[in-house]
Amino acid sequence: MSEIGIVLIVGLFVLLLLGVPIAFTLGLLTAVGIWMADYNPMILAQRLIAGSTITSLLAIPGFILVGDLMSAGGLSKRLVRVASVCFGHLTGGLSMSTVAAGTFFGAITGSAPATTAAVGSVMIDELEKRGYSRGYGAALSTSIGPLGQMIPPSIPMIIWGVLSEESISKLFLAGVLPGLIAAAGFCVVGYVHARRLGIAREKRPGVREILAAIREGIWALLAPVVILGGIYGSVFTPTEAAMVGALYSLVIGLFIYKDLQWKSLIPLFIKSMRTTTVIMFIIVVAYGFAWIIASEQIPSQVTQVLLSLTSNPFLILLLLNIMLLVLGAVMDTVSAMVILSGVLTAVGTQVGLDPIQLGAMVVINFAVGMITPPLGYSLFVASTISGLSIEKVARNLWPFFLVLIGVVALTAYVPAVTLWLPGLLG
């Protein structure tokens, strides 16, 4: 490996261990790499500007705003209510209701922390009232967060589509089956847990109660239909869908549910802008870092090292997934994807992995990182909402974690899980 490559890789780990924010780490190392390679310093500014002008990234602030508007506008709590009347009377029904609500919410926002926050803020207390431990409720709310990154629309899928120049619509579809399999696995965990604790089932709701919940929540239920139906009906692009979803959530929250007040819009917009700014700052500097990494041919060098360990595609995929799971636990998803995109694409090509399958595998691995200490954002959110320590929440996570590991394995070794639906798109 070249001298510049060694400096960049060692510098990355050293600065992260020292606690330097990832955006500043990447920006500093990019500048050092350009200086060592004796490139024109203007290239740094050009790379940063190039990273900020990718049109597809405009979908990210839109979906972040959708999540915030749905939470503040009452759409999320009505989704939870519909899920409760549909599943609450089953054994483990309240757990299943939490999973169903998380699946619906994830199909609108594309964000793991937003899904955990919106559903967990309602369901953790409810689960505790019905006999579940608070730790279990927090762990379940943490676990449904990754569904927001698997089930379309998914913010990480958008980022990977931009990096790999693959169809974002196909990547969205590639996450549907893994997301539904994970949701089904969580429901099984909930059923077994309720049986083991002997938690009583809720009273079966009457038809009138079910219809009332659906009638009240119909506008929330229509949100994924509007967003995803528009994308796959070729009515608008994913970027336009994000803006349509934000407008839809705003109108419903203000004029139909009326949980959203005009005076609360400015603070809400500022909150969304702050979240967007952090993500975009990381993407911009990581784009420059990825460029200097590629110019030094580091991806191909890492690929050669990995392939020198074994020529068995099964073992290469196993090593790749272990690496992604470890990195997902210690790195921010956005920066990790940008930094590793060249390496992962090169390795995927060498083992004959379909680019869409590779993208889904990468995103799902990093989705698991959202619930894994020490940097699991959904874990932080659930800990804050529940008032429990991260350690206590993490101790209750293991059955849900095993479900997600199973989904990762299916994604890596059963191509149809991720490629069947995109294949229907053509």
Side-chain angles (χ1 to χ4, degrees):
M1 187 175 292
S2 67
E3 180 183 348
I4 296 176
I6 294 172
V7 169
L8 292 177
I9 292 176
V10 173
L12 179 65
F13 284 103
V14 170
L15 291 175
L16 289 177
L17 288 173
L18 291 174
V20 179
I22 184 66
F24 293 104
T25 295
L26 297 177
L28 176 61
L29 290 175
T30 303
V32 169
I34 289 174
W35 173 73
M36 290 183 66
D38 200 26
Y39 290 126
N40 188 324
M42 284 297 295
I43 290 180
L44 176 59
Q46 292 171 353
R47 290 297 93 198
L48 296 181
I49 292 172
S52 66
T53 56
I54 302 172
T55 306
S56 300
L57 293 177
L58 287 172
I60 293 175
F63 285 121
I64 290 172
L65 182 58
V66 168
D68 289 339
L69 286 170
M70 286 194 66
S71 296
L75 281 78
S76 57
K77 68 180 182 182
R78 286 169 173 83
L79 285 175
V80 171
R81 171 63 182 155
V82 173
S84 295
V85 299
C86 291
F87 300 100
H89 63 284
L90 303 172
T91 300
L94 202 58
S95 292
M96 297 178 189
S97 300
T98 305
V99 174
T103 304
F104 271 112
F105 196 82
I108 301 170
T109 65
S111 167
T115 302
T116 293
V119 180
S121 60
V122 178
M123 296 304 293
I124 291 176
D125 289 339
E126 285 296 318
L127 285 161
E128 189 175 25
K129 289 177 186 176
R130 310 294 172 85
Y132 296 89
S133 71
R134 194 165 185 82
Y136 171 84
L140 176 58
S141 299
T142 302
S143 301
I144 62 174
L147 297 178
Q149 292 192 186
M150 298 182 199
I151 297 173
S154 161
I155 291 174
M157 289 288 193
I158 295 170
I159 296 170
W160 184 262
V162 171
L163 296 173
S164 62
E165 298 182 353
E166 296 294 335
S167 166
I168 293 175
S169 295
K170 287 188 176 183
L171 285 168
F172 278 176
L173 285 176
V176 173
L177 282 181
L180 293 179
I181 292 170
F186 294 159
C187 289
V188 172
V189 171
Y191 174 84
V192 172
H193 188 77
R195 283 290 299 270
R196 185 169 60 85
L197 295 180
I199 294 175
R201 293 191 295 180
E202 298 294 311
K203 180 182 177 182
R204 183 184 292 271
V207 175
R208 183 174 297 179
E209 187 179 355
I210 295 174
L211 292 177
I214 293 175
R215 183 168 58 250
E216 184 184 8
I218 187 64
W219 294 104
L221 292 170
L222 284 175
V225 176
V226 171
I227 295 172
L228 299 179
I231 293 173
Y232 296 113
S234 300
V235 178
F236 35 69
T237 65
T239 300
E240 293 165 343
M243 307 311 165
V244 170
L247 179 61
Y248 180 89
S249 301
L250 179 65
V251 171
I252 300 302
L254 280 174
F255 302 113
I256 296 181
Y257 290 152
K258 299 182 181 178
D259 287 13
L260 194 60
Q261 305 299 318
W262 287 101
K263 63 182 179 181
S264 66
L265 289 182
I266 297 300
L268 188 147
F269 290 155
I270 291 174
K271 176 187 175 185
S272 297
M273 288 169 63
R274 284 175 175 166
T275 305
T276 300
T277 300
V278 171
I279 293 176
M280 293 304 297
F281 186 28
I282 293 172
I283 290 175
V284 167
V285 292
Y287 196 79
F289 185 77
W291 177 83
I292 191 68
I293 286 283
S295 68
E296 291 301 310
Q297 299 182 336
I298 293 175
S300 61
Q301 295 170 28
V302 173
T303 301
Q304 290 171 8
V305 171
L306 187 60
L307 294 177
S308 68
L309 298 176
T310 177
S311 59
N312 188 318
F314 183 92
L315 293 178
I316 292 173
L317 275 179
L318 179 61
L319 292 172
L320 196 60
N321 279 281
I322 291 173
M323 180 186 76
L324 291 173
L325 286 170
V326 172
L327 291 175
V330 299
M331 288 187 70
D332 172 77
T333 297
V334 175
S335 53
M337 286 199 300
V338 176
I339 293 169
L340 296 171
S341 59
V343 174
L344 296 173
T345 302
V347 174
T349 301
Q350 286 293 324
V351 298
L353 210 60
D354 186 275
I356 299 297
Q357 182 186 1
L358 173 66
M361 187 181 78
V362 170
V363 169
I364 291 170
N365 269 287
F366 285 128
V368 178
M370 284 288 177
I371 73 167
T372 309
L375 292 183
Y377 292 162
S378 289
L379 189 59
F380 294 153
V381 171
S383 174
T384 302
I385 293 171
S386 65
L388 300 175
S389 66
I390 290 177
E391 291 78 12
K392 190 162 186 178
V393 178
R395 281 200 298 269
N396 289 273
L397 270 174
W398 68 267
F400 304 106
F401 187 81
L402 291 178
V403 170
L404 289 173
I405 293 299
V407 172
V408 168
L410 285 174
T411 303
Y413 294 111
V414 184
V417 171
T418 51
L419 298 180
W420 179 63
L421 281 177
L424 296 180
L425 187 63

